[in-house]
Amino acid sequence: AKNVLQGVQGYTFSGLKTATTYYVKIFPYTNSGSIVNYLTSGTVPSASGRTHAILSEQTFDVSLAPWTQFSVLGDSTWVRDITHGVGGTPCVKMTGFVSSTSTLANEDWLISPSMSISSGSSPTLEFFSAMNYGTGSDGISALISTDYVSGDPSSNGTWTAFTSPVFSPGGWAWTSSGFIDLSLYTGSNVHVAFK
């Protein structure tokens, strides 16, 4: 039981088990401590929700591995960065920035290892992006392939760009992509890539 103060209007639960359904009932209340008074008459608002099971998570704490970097064009490559992550956490970075009036042409891919999307309820993908000199529409994309094996991803494998992710608006603002539906790929082995 969690008491949520008036004006807060929400509570974030932590320590929940993955792939588990939780049920919630909400009781209005007055007072606090030993004199708290919960409203139990009428219809009690209730809901349920299922937590996600994490198939794969990559934090880039030590290196890019097991993801691989492939440069198709230009001298820049994806690199591990410990200065721009959320709260000082590591991230990966790709840039062609030279100055406010000059950039380098690049096409570089960061490719996940093969992942099996087993049958389950509503498989999704979520990632976080941060940009400073543009937005997602300026050249970064997230893609998926069911037939990529290795080598140059621009000529090996069939890649489909996700059309629904939300990318950072710029200013190094870390932004969730939202949950991207992967149910079309259930039962497949896939590679996810950032280009």
Side-chain angles (χ1 to χ4, degrees):
K2 302 294 179 186
N3 287 352
V4 179
L5 297 176
Q6 179 181 2
V8 174
Q9 306 299 325
Y11 183 82
T12 300
F13 290 91
S14 61
L16 301 179
K17 294 180 181 179
T18 62
T20 302
T21 301
Y22 288 88
Y23 300 89
V24 178
K25 290 185 177 182
I26 302 171
F27 298 91
Y29 72 96
T30 59
N31 304 320
S32 63
S34 62
I35 58 170
V36 69
N37 184 20
Y38 296 100
L39 178 64
T40 58
S41 61
T43 302
V44 176
S46 63
S48 65
R50 185 170 173 83
T51 55
H52 290 271
I54 298 175
L55 170 67
S56 178
E57 180 177 41
Q58 181 62 41
T59 59
F60 303 106
D61 286 341
V62 178
S63 70
L64 295 181
W67 289 58
T68 56
Q69 184 283 128
F70 195 94
S71 182
V72 176
L73 171 69
D75 294 331
S76 302
T77 60
W78 285 92
V79 295
R80 185 173 170 270
D81 183 349
I82 59 172
T83 60
H84 292 104
V86 178
T89 61
C91 64
V92 290
K93 176 175 78 174
M94 174 56 209
T95 183
F97 179 80
V98 176
S99 70
S100 60
T101 59
S102 177
T103 58
L104 301 173
N106 285 284
E107 180 183 334
D108 291 87
W109 293 65
L110 184 64
I111 308 163
S112 77
S114 179
M115 297 179 284
S116 174
I117 300 181
S118 57
S119 45
S121 60
S122 306
T124 59
L125 168 71
E126 180 188 28
F127 61 86
F128 293 83
S129 67
M131 295 183 205
N132 197 34
Y133 305 108
T135 63
S137 61
D138 290 333
I140 189 169
S141 56
L143 305 101
I144 191 167
S145 175
T146 58
D147 61 357
Y148 175 77
V149 177
S150 64
D152 183 347
S154 67
S155 58
N156 293 316
T158 305
W159 293 91
T160 303
F162 294 112
T163 58
S164 62
V166 176
F167 287 99
S168 172
W172 292 124
W174 280 100
T175 306
S176 166
S177 63
F179 291 106
I180 301 166
D181 182 13
L182 297 180
S183 57
L184 181 65
Y185 301 97
T186 297
S188 299
N189 289 323
V190 301
H191 288 272
V192 171
F194 297 99
K195 174 185 172 190

